[in-house]
Protein backbone atom coordinates (compact mmCIF):
# COMPACT_ATOMS: atom_id res chain seq x y z
CA UNK A 1 0.00 0.00 0.00
CA UNK A 2 1.36 3.41 -0.89
CA UNK A 3 1.68 6.15 1.68
CA UNK A 4 -1.36 7.96 0.28
CA UNK A 5 -3.65 4.92 0.50
CA UNK A 6 -2.28 4.10 3.92
CA UNK A 7 -2.93 7.61 5.20
CA UNK A 8 -6.43 7.63 3.73
CA UNK A 9 -7.13 4.30 5.43
CA UNK A 10 -5.95 5.75 8.73
CA UNK A 11 -8.26 8.74 8.35
CA UNK A 12 -11.06 6.33 7.58
CA UNK A 13 -10.38 4.27 10.68
CA UNK A 14 -10.52 7.52 12.65
CA UNK A 15 -13.94 8.04 11.06
CA UNK A 16 -12.73 11.10 9.19
CA UNK A 17 -14.28 9.80 6.02
CA UNK A 18 -14.58 13.10 4.18
CA UNK A 19 -10.84 13.70 4.51
CA UNK A 20 -10.13 10.07 3.63
CA UNK A 21 -12.15 10.11 0.45
CA UNK A 22 -10.82 13.43 -0.84
CA UNK A 23 -7.28 13.34 0.42
CA UNK A 24 -5.73 13.43 -3.03
CA UNK A 25 -7.61 16.57 -3.96
CA UNK A 26 -6.96 18.24 -0.62
CA UNK A 27 -3.24 17.61 -1.00
CA UNK A 28 -3.22 18.88 -4.56
CA UNK A 29 -5.02 22.05 -3.49
CA UNK A 30 -2.54 22.56 -0.68
CA UNK A 31 0.43 22.24 -3.01
CA UNK A 32 -1.16 24.38 -5.65
CA UNK A 33 -2.01 27.09 -3.11
CA UNK A 34 1.34 26.78 -1.34
CA UNK A 35 -0.56 26.51 1.92
CA UNK A 36 1.12 26.84 5.28
CA UNK A 37 1.08 23.76 7.51
CA UNK A 38 -1.39 25.45 9.81
CA UNK A 39 -3.73 26.44 6.97
CA UNK A 40 -3.63 22.89 5.68
CA UNK A 41 -4.37 21.43 9.12
CA UNK A 42 -7.28 23.84 9.36
CA UNK A 43 -8.47 23.03 5.84
CA UNK A 44 -8.70 19.32 6.71
CA UNK A 45 -10.78 20.04 9.80
CA UNK A 46 -13.05 22.46 7.92
CA UNK A 47 -13.55 19.95 5.14
CA UNK A 48 -14.60 17.14 7.47
CA UNK A 49 -16.87 19.39 9.51
CA UNK A 50 -18.66 20.92 6.54
CA UNK A 51 -19.27 17.52 4.93
CA UNK A 52 -20.69 16.21 8.17
CA UNK A 53 -22.90 19.24 8.56
CA UNK A 54 -24.33 18.89 5.06
CA UNK A 55 -24.91 15.16 5.33
CA UNK A 56 -26.63 15.73 8.66
CA UNK A 57 -28.93 18.28 7.04
CA UNK A 58 -29.61 15.84 4.23
CA UNK A 59 -30.50 13.08 6.70
CA UNK A 60 -32.75 15.46 8.63
CA UNK A 61 -34.51 16.42 5.42
CA UNK A 62 -35.33 12.80 4.74
CA UNK A 63 -36.31 12.12 8.33
CA UNK A 64 -38.67 15.12 8.38
CA UNK A 65 -41.12 13.38 6.08
CA UNK A 66 -42.33 16.48 4.28
CA UNK A 67 -45.24 15.41 2.03
CA UNK A 68 -44.38 17.86 -0.73
CA UNK A 69 -41.61 20.15 -1.87
CA UNK A 70 -42.92 23.50 -0.74
CA UNK A 71 -40.57 26.38 -0.25
CA UNK A 72 -41.04 29.85 1.15
CA UNK A 73 -39.40 31.20 -1.98
CA UNK A 74 -42.43 29.98 -3.92
CA UNK A 75 -44.97 31.57 -1.59
CA UNK A 76 -46.91 34.39 -3.19
CA UNK A 77 -47.62 37.14 -0.67
CA UNK A 78 -49.62 39.06 -3.24
CA UNK A 79 -52.19 36.32 -3.14
CA UNK A 80 -51.97 35.70 0.60
CA UNK A 81 -52.16 39.17 2.10
CA UNK A 82 -53.19 38.24 5.64
CA UNK A 83 -49.60 37.38 6.49
CA UNK A 84 -46.60 39.40 5.38
CA UNK A 85 -43.21 38.29 4.16
CA UNK A 86 -41.76 40.33 6.99
CA UNK A 87 -43.76 38.33 9.55
CA UNK A 88 -42.63 35.03 8.07
CA UNK A 89 -39.01 36.13 7.71
CA UNK A 90 -39.01 37.20 11.34
CA UNK A 91 -39.58 33.56 12.27
CA UNK A 92 -36.52 32.36 10.39
CA UNK A 93 -34.04 33.26 13.10
CA UNK A 94 -35.72 30.30 14.85
CA UNK A 95 -35.79 32.05 18.15
CA UNK A 96 -39.23 30.49 18.50
CA UNK A 97 -37.65 27.04 18.47
CA UNK A 98 -34.88 28.02 20.85
CA UNK A 99 -37.52 29.38 23.22
CA UNK A 100 -39.80 26.36 22.72
CA UNK A 101 -42.62 28.50 21.41
CA UNK A 102 -45.28 27.28 19.01
CA UNK A 103 -46.69 28.62 15.77
CA UNK A 104 -50.35 28.21 14.96
CA UNK A 105 -51.77 28.83 11.50
CA UNK A 106 -55.54 29.05 11.50
CA UNK A 107 -57.65 29.45 8.40
CA UNK A 108 -59.96 27.89 5.82
CA UNK A 109 -58.72 25.34 3.23
CA UNK A 110 -56.37 26.42 0.50
CA UNK A 111 -54.97 29.60 2.04
CA UNK A 112 -51.41 28.29 2.33
CA UNK A 113 -51.18 26.95 5.89
CA UNK A 114 -49.49 23.70 4.93
CA UNK A 115 -47.25 25.45 2.41
CA UNK A 116 -46.01 27.85 5.08
CA UNK A 117 -45.54 25.09 7.64
CA UNK A 118 -43.44 23.00 5.25
CA UNK A 119 -41.52 26.05 4.05
CA UNK A 120 -40.58 27.06 7.58
CA UNK A 121 -39.81 23.41 8.37
CA UNK A 122 -37.39 23.25 5.44
CA UNK A 123 -35.56 26.34 6.61
CA UNK A 124 -35.37 24.94 10.13
CA UNK A 125 -33.74 21.76 8.81
CA UNK A 126 -31.26 23.86 6.86
CA UNK A 127 -30.48 25.77 10.03
CA UNK A 128 -29.61 22.45 11.68
CA UNK A 129 -32.79 21.64 13.60
CA UNK A 130 -34.44 18.25 13.65
CA UNK A 131 -37.95 18.54 12.30
CA UNK A 132 -40.80 16.08 11.89
CA UNK A 133 -43.86 16.67 9.75
CA UNK A 134 -47.03 14.73 10.48
CA UNK A 135 -50.53 15.05 9.21
CA UNK A 136 -52.74 15.13 12.32
CA UNK A 137 -54.67 12.02 11.30
CA UNK A 138 -51.50 10.04 10.64
CA UNK A 139 -50.06 11.21 13.93
CA UNK A 140 -53.17 10.16 15.83
CA UNK A 141 -53.08 6.77 14.11
CA UNK A 142 -49.40 6.38 14.93
CA UNK A 143 -50.08 7.17 18.58
CA UNK A 144 -53.03 4.79 18.65
CA UNK A 145 -50.96 1.94 17.27
CA UNK A 146 -48.27 2.49 19.85
CA UNK A 147 -50.83 2.78 22.61
CA UNK A 148 -52.35 -0.57 21.61
CA UNK A 149 -48.93 -2.15 21.86
CA UNK A 150 -48.45 -0.57 25.27
CA UNK A 151 -45.75 1.65 23.86
CA UNK A 152 -47.29 5.09 24.00
CA UNK A 153 -44.61 6.45 26.31
CA UNK A 154 -41.88 5.18 24.05
CA UNK A 155 -43.56 6.70 21.01
CA UNK A 156 -44.00 10.04 22.73
CA UNK A 157 -40.35 10.22 23.73
CA UNK A 158 -39.37 9.26 20.21
CA UNK A 159 -41.43 12.17 18.86
CA UNK A 160 -39.98 14.47 21.50
CA UNK A 161 -36.51 13.98 20.05
CA UNK A 162 -37.31 16.45 17.30
CA UNK A 163 -36.79 20.14 17.93
CA UNK A 164 -39.89 20.95 15.95
CA UNK A 165 -43.00 18.88 15.35
CA UNK A 166 -45.33 20.05 12.60
CA UNK A 167 -48.88 18.85 13.12
CA UNK A 168 -50.81 19.57 9.97
CA UNK A 169 -54.55 19.91 9.65
CA UNK A 170 -55.72 19.28 13.15
CA UNK A 171 -59.46 19.51 13.45
CA UNK A 172 -60.64 18.33 10.07
CA UNK A 173 -62.10 15.12 11.46
CA UNK A 174 -63.36 14.23 14.93
CA UNK A 175 -61.23 12.02 17.15
CA UNK A 176 -62.09 9.26 19.58
CA UNK A 177 -61.69 9.75 23.31
CA UNK A 178 -58.60 7.55 23.31
CA UNK A 179 -57.09 9.51 20.43
CA UNK A 180 -57.60 12.75 22.31
CA UNK A 181 -56.01 11.26 25.39
CA UNK A 182 -53.00 10.08 23.38
CA UNK A 183 -52.64 13.47 21.77
CA UNK A 184 -52.78 15.09 25.17
CA UNK A 185 -49.92 12.88 26.37
CA UNK A 186 -47.86 14.02 23.41
CA UNK A 187 -48.66 17.72 23.70
CA UNK A 188 -48.01 17.60 27.40
CA UNK A 189 -44.58 16.05 26.89
CA UNK A 190 -43.64 18.65 24.32
CA UNK A 191 -44.89 21.58 26.36
CA UNK A 192 -42.08 24.05 27.08
CA UNK A 193 -39.63 21.40 25.87
CA UNK A 194 -40.11 21.35 22.10
CA UNK A 195 -41.81 23.51 19.50
CA UNK A 196 -44.90 22.73 17.51
CA UNK A 197 -46.23 24.22 14.32
CA UNK A 198 -49.92 23.54 14.18
CA UNK A 199 -52.18 24.16 11.23
CA UNK A 200 -55.90 23.99 11.67
CA UNK A 201 -59.14 25.10 10.09
CA UNK A 202 -60.72 25.51 13.51
CA UNK A 203 -60.74 28.71 15.44
CA UNK A 204 -60.00 28.14 19.12
CA UNK A 205 -63.57 29.00 19.98
CA UNK A 206 -64.68 25.85 18.11
CA UNK A 207 -62.05 23.61 19.59
CA UNK A 208 -64.04 22.68 22.64
CA UNK A 209 -66.72 21.39 20.32
CA UNK A 210 -64.17 19.57 18.20
CA UNK A 211 -62.69 17.88 21.22
CA UNK A 212 -66.20 17.14 22.50
CA UNK A 213 -65.63 19.47 25.41
CA UNK A 214 -64.17 16.73 27.52
CA UNK A 215 -61.63 17.35 30.20
CA UNK A 216 -58.72 16.79 27.81
CA UNK A 217 -59.70 19.48 25.30
CA UNK A 218 -58.99 22.52 27.42
CA UNK A 219 -55.53 21.45 28.61
CA UNK A 220 -54.45 20.52 25.06
CA UNK A 221 -55.48 23.91 23.71
CA UNK A 222 -54.05 25.64 26.73
CA UNK A 223 -50.63 24.05 26.29
CA UNK A 224 -50.50 24.76 22.58
CA UNK A 225 -51.51 28.39 22.72
CA UNK A 226 -49.47 29.26 25.77
CA UNK A 227 -46.20 30.65 24.32
CA UNK A 228 -47.48 30.64 20.77
CA UNK A 229 -47.54 32.96 17.80
CA UNK A 230 -50.97 32.74 16.24
CA UNK A 231 -51.56 33.64 12.61
CA UNK A 232 -55.09 33.92 11.35
CA UNK A 233 -54.99 33.42 7.61
CA UNK A 234 -57.83 34.39 5.38
CA UNK A 235 -58.57 35.14 1.79
CA UNK A 236 -59.45 33.06 -1.17
CA UNK A 237 -58.34 29.47 -1.64
CA UNK A 238 -55.25 29.32 -3.85
CA UNK A 239 -56.56 26.10 -5.36
CA UNK A 240 -59.81 27.77 -6.36
CA UNK A 241 -57.98 30.76 -7.75
CA UNK A 242 -55.90 28.49 -9.97
CA UNK A 243 -59.01 26.66 -11.13
CA UNK A 244 -60.73 29.87 -12.14
CA UNK A 245 -57.64 31.60 -13.51
CA UNK A 246 -57.79 30.32 -17.07
P1 LIG B 1 -54.02 24.89 3.31
O1 LIG B 1 -53.05 24.05 4.04
O2 LIG B 1 -54.27 26.23 3.93
O3 LIG B 1 -55.29 24.17 3.02
P2 LIG B 1 -52.07 24.68 1.19
O4 LIG B 1 -50.88 25.25 1.84
O5 LIG B 1 -52.13 23.20 1.08
O6 LIG B 1 -53.39 25.24 1.88
O7 LIG B 1 -52.23 25.35 -0.24
C1 LIG B 1 -52.95 24.71 -1.29
C2 LIG B 1 -52.11 24.75 -2.56
O8 LIG B 1 -51.97 26.10 -2.99
C3 LIG B 1 -50.71 24.22 -2.36
O9 LIG B 1 -50.30 23.61 -3.56
C4 LIG B 1 -49.92 25.46 -2.08
O10 LIG B 1 -48.55 25.31 -2.49
C5 LIG B 1 -50.62 26.51 -2.92
N1 LIG B 1 -50.60 27.83 -2.28
C6 LIG B 1 -51.44 28.28 -1.33
N2 LIG B 1 -51.20 29.56 -1.04
C7 LIG B 1 -50.17 29.94 -1.82
C8 LIG B 1 -49.47 31.17 -1.98
N3 LIG B 1 -49.78 32.28 -1.30
N4 LIG B 1 -48.46 31.20 -2.89
C9 LIG B 1 -48.14 30.10 -3.60
N5 LIG B 1 -48.78 28.92 -3.49
C10 LIG B 1 -49.79 28.83 -2.64
MG1 LIG C 1 -53.28 22.13 4.63
Amino acid sequence: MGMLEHTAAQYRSLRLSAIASELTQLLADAEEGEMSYLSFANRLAEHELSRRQSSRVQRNHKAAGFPAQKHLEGFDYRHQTTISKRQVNALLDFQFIDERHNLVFIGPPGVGKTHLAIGIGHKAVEAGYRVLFRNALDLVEELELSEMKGELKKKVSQLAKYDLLIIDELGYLPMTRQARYNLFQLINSLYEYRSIILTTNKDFTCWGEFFHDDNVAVPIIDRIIHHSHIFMLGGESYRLKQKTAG
Side-chain angles (χ1 to χ4, degrees):
M1 204 191 284
M3 173 104 156
L4 180 65
E5 286 79 20
H6 180 63
T7 307
Q10 286 178 314
Y11 275 117
R12 195 158 282 119
S13 76
L14 288 167
R15 309 226 174 285
L16 299 167
S17 60
I19 297 176
S21 62
E22 277 155 274
L23 191 55
T24 311
Q25 190 58 48
L26 289 161
L27 286 165
D29 291 348
E31 262 179 52
E32 163 90 23
E34 296 180 40
M35 261 184 205
S36 71
Y37 296 123
L38 180 59
S39 306
F40 184 58
N42 178 253
R43 175 83 183 82
L44 292 181
E46 295 277 355
H47 181 72
E48 185 67 37
L49 286 171
S50 81
R51 283 299 148 82
R52 279 188 197 189
Q53 164 72 8
S54 63
S55 63
R56 199 160 58 95
V57 166
Q58 233 176 353
R59 268 200 312 280
N60 289 346
H61 259 298
K62 270 199 185 152
F66 295 121
Q69 290 292 325
K70 299 286 177 191
H71 295 279
L72 291 179
E73 288 76 12
F75 195 78
D76 183 359
Y77 295 92
R78 282 164 310 176
H79 176 79
Q80 177 47 270
T81 55
T82 59
I83 192 166
S84 69
K85 190 170 185 172
R86 187 187 297 272
Q87 281 175 297
V88 172
N89 283 344
L91 301 169
L92 302 181
D93 61 5
F94 298 110
Q95 200 183 333
F96 84 89
I97 297 181
D98 298 335
E99 292 178 346
R100 284 87 170 108
H101 289 187
N102 303 322
L103 307 182
V104 182
F105 293 110
I106 305 176
V111 297
K113 304 182 297 296
T114 301
H115 189 132
L116 285 171
I118 296 174
I120 293 167
H122 262 298
K123 295 279 187 210
V125 169
E126 275 159 29
Y129 295 97
R130 288 155 307 168
V131 177
L132 186 69
F133 181 101
R134 283 287 183 269
N135 177 274
L137 289 178
D138 295 339
L139 180 66
V140 162
E141 202 177 289
E142 213 172 311
L143 292 172
E144 200 154 30
L145 259 148
S146 303
E147 189 267 329
M148 283 176 344
K149 289 193 269 179
E151 295 177 348
L152 183 62
K153 268 219 173 94
K154 193 172 132 197
K155 185 74 196 173
V156 164
S157 51
Q158 205 181 316
L159 293 166
K161 290 216 176 80
Y162 295 88
D163 302 299
L164 172 65
L165 178 64
I166 301 175
I167 306 176
D168 194 35
E169 309 195 329
L170 187 71
Y172 282 80
L173 285 174
M175 286 192 271
T176 65
R177 168 177 283 275
Q178 184 65 50
R180 296 194 297 275
Y181 171 80
N182 295 342
L183 188 65
F184 174 71
Q185 295 303 316
L186 175 64
I187 301 294
N188 198 36
S189 297
L190 300 179
Y191 178 63
E192 294 189 334
Y193 176 59
R194 297 302 192 197
S195 291
I196 298 172
I197 297 183
L198 182 74
T199 85
T200 176
N201 60 341
K202 294 271 191 302
D203 194 348
F204 292 116
T205 52
C206 309
W207 280 29
E209 198 184 309
F210 166 66
F211 282 111
H212 301 273
D213 270 325
D214 60 21
N215 50 11
V216 159
V218 174
I220 290 181
I221 297 165
D222 199 58
R223 277 161 181 72
I224 292 176
I225 65 176
H226 189 208
H227 311 302
S228 79
H229 309 265
I230 297 169
F231 300 93
M232 305 288 278
L233 303 186
E236 232 191 298
S237 163
Y238 197 83
R239 296 186 189 100
L240 285 179
K241 180 197 114 155
Q242 285 187 318
K243 277 259 168 357
T244 54

